[in-house]
Amino acid sequence: MSRLTLSQLSAFMKLAETSSFRDAANELGVSQPALSRTIQHIETRVGVRLFDRDTRTVTLTPAGERLRPLAARLLADYETLFRELHEFVEGRQGLIRIAALPAIASALLPPAIASFQARFPGVRIEIWEDVGDLVHNVVRDRSADFGIAPPPDLASDLRYQELLKDNIGLVCRRDDPLAEVAEHRWSVFSDCRFIAMSEETGLSAMVENGLGEAGVVVERLFNCSAATTAAALIASGQGISAITRLTMAEIASPRLVWRPLVDPVVARSIGIVRHQGRSLSPAAQAFVRELEQQARKIRMGEAVPGSDFDSEPDGDSDADFDSAGDGVGDSGGMD
């Protein structure tokens, strides 16, 4: 048995619906003789009569009755398939897989996802969190559509689009006299107990760059692997530390404040990491635009989830942040 085309199935269904060659032809926008020839072709292909007709009536034969629900299902599936494809092309359906640094994921992604899914509820988003090099690797092997991380190596097969600079600042308890000062030089750590991050973290390399450029020597305590551990130690009165702005937003402790560090200003670039040979889906492209808007708000000091960007001491927010925007110096080893 030869297969029928979608146009033939549509002609069959219209005639079955109207029981009139004239009415079916009018609705299909064809002549009656053309519709009659189409029905004859269909019956020849399937090898059986589908309609009983005389001068006044057109009715389905048993074979026609059997074909009718099958044709309806095929046409419905076809419409559903192309509707879903259209929604995908329009960015209203699909799956977005994002790899990101934990601190960046907590600061950038929740507000971006909330805004995006209010407009595109049919799009699913998956998040994979890890340090910078692993984020790059996940994008490189195409397990993720894109990453949010520091820039990859210059010789990489990845593309990079900067979203913002993530500055390092001093973190201390809210009741610490250091919290009364709007910004600090790195020399502040010379006379304080300094809670350090372990060398396996990119944050440690940034701090070492800042201390080295400032010519400051400190005694490193604890060597924490997680910023949340360092924050808990600071909150318990064990010392102070240097943490990036977005990492501090991830911690979001009401007992701590963040103050910018200057001379030098140390910051890491954070942006979108994409594979050179991979095109983003329409939904992913729309989500990148949402991330750009959220990054713009953070650069302007308008929003980090769970905190605000008040740079004035004794602010009323859960965690204080500077409103000074981006740093001017980048550091190496930024995972």
Side-chain angles (χ1 to χ4, degrees), residues 61 101 108 154 163 169 177 242 277 289 291 296 334:
T61 66
L101 302 180
L108 271 176
L154 292 178
L163 290 174
R289 290 192 291 272
L291 285 173
R296 190 175 301 112
M334 299 176 287

Side-chain angles (χ1 to χ4, degrees), residues 11-302:
F12 166 80
M13 290 296 294
K14 185 59 65 177
L15 183 56
E17 175 189 330
T18 61
S19 298
S20 165
F21 274 93
R22 182 187 62 189
D23 293 344
N26 286 338
E27 293 192 29
L28 291 169
V30 299
S31 66
Q32 288 187 51
L35 176 59
S36 180
R37 288 193 297 271
T38 297
I39 298 301
Q40 288 173 5
H41 277 304
I42 295 173
E43 291 177 330
T44 298
R45 285 198 171 192
V46 299
V48 66
R49 181 179 287 273
L50 299 174
F51 293 94
D52 287 326
R53 50 248 201 215
D54 56 30
T55 56
R56 290 185 300 176
T57 61
V58 178
T59 58
L60 287 169
T61 66
E65 291 286 1
R66 180 69 186 98
L67 176 59
R68 187 175 190 174
L70 299 177
R73 190 170 69 198
L74 283 170
L75 290 170
D77 288 346
Y78 179 82
E79 290 299 324
T80 298
L81 183 152
F82 275 89
R83 183 171 60 252
E84 290 179 359
L85 177 61
H86 178 70
E87 290 179 352
F88 178 85
V89 171
E90 293 292 318
R92 297 196 299 269
Q93 279 197 5
L95 169 65
I96 305 174
R97 297 167 299 179
I98 305 168
L101 302 180
I104 307 307
S106 64
L108 271 176
L109 290 181
I113 289 173
S115 175
F116 180 81
Q117 294 205 310
R119 295 183 293 123
F120 304 108
V123 177
R124 292 193 303 117
I125 297 175
E126 293 181 357
I127 303 171
W128 190 86
E129 296 176 276
D130 219 310
V131 296
D133 287 343
L134 292 180
V135 170
H136 297 159
N137 291 339
V138 171
V139 176
R140 183 172 287 110
D141 67 20
R142 307 186 186 216
S143 297
D145 295 303
F146 62 86
I148 308 174
D153 296 335
L154 292 178
S156 172
D157 54 353
L158 304 177
R159 296 166 54 190
Y160 183 73
Q161 171 196 345
E162 183 174 276
L163 290 174
L164 50 78
K165 289 287 201 308
D166 189 17
N167 294 39
I168 278 208
L170 176 144
V171 179
C172 64
R173 286 168 52 118
R174 184 174 292 278
D175 58 3
D176 191 313
L178 295 175
E180 302 296 324
V181 182
E183 64 181 25
H184 292 276
R185 289 181 169 82
W186 287 81
S187 56
V188 68
F189 296 119
S190 299
D191 301 320
C192 299
R193 289 170 57 85
F194 183 75
I195 298 173
M197 302 300 297
S198 68
E199 292 183 359
E200 66 192 38
T201 66
L203 185 56
S204 174
M206 294 176 68
V207 172
E208 292 303 316
N209 284 353
L211 292 171
E213 189 172 338
V216 175
V217 178
V218 299
E219 180 183 359
R220 294 162 179 79
L221 304 176
F222 302 113
N223 291 314
C224 304
S225 294
T228 50
T229 303
L233 289 168
I234 298 168
S236 69
Q238 299 304 308
I240 62 176
S241 191
I243 293 176
T244 68
R245 185 186 195 188
L246 294 183
T247 301
M248 187 62 184
E250 176 190 15
I251 295 166
S253 170
R255 301 181 63 186
L256 305 180
V257 297
W258 185 96
R259 296 289 177 249
L261 283 166
V262 298
D263 297 332
V265 172
V266 177
R268 59 181 174 180
S269 175
I270 297 296
I272 302 294
V273 180
R274 297 173 50 185
H275 196 288
Q276 289 277 16
R278 181 186 180 94
S279 297
L280 293 182
S281 69
Q285 292 178 37
F287 190 76
V288 167
R289 290 192 291 272
E290 193 69 54
L291 285 173
E292 291 170 346
Q293 294 181 15
Q294 181 61 27
R296 190 175 301 112
K297 292 180 181 179
I298 291 177
R299 291 198 305 270
M300 296 176 66
E302 295 176 7

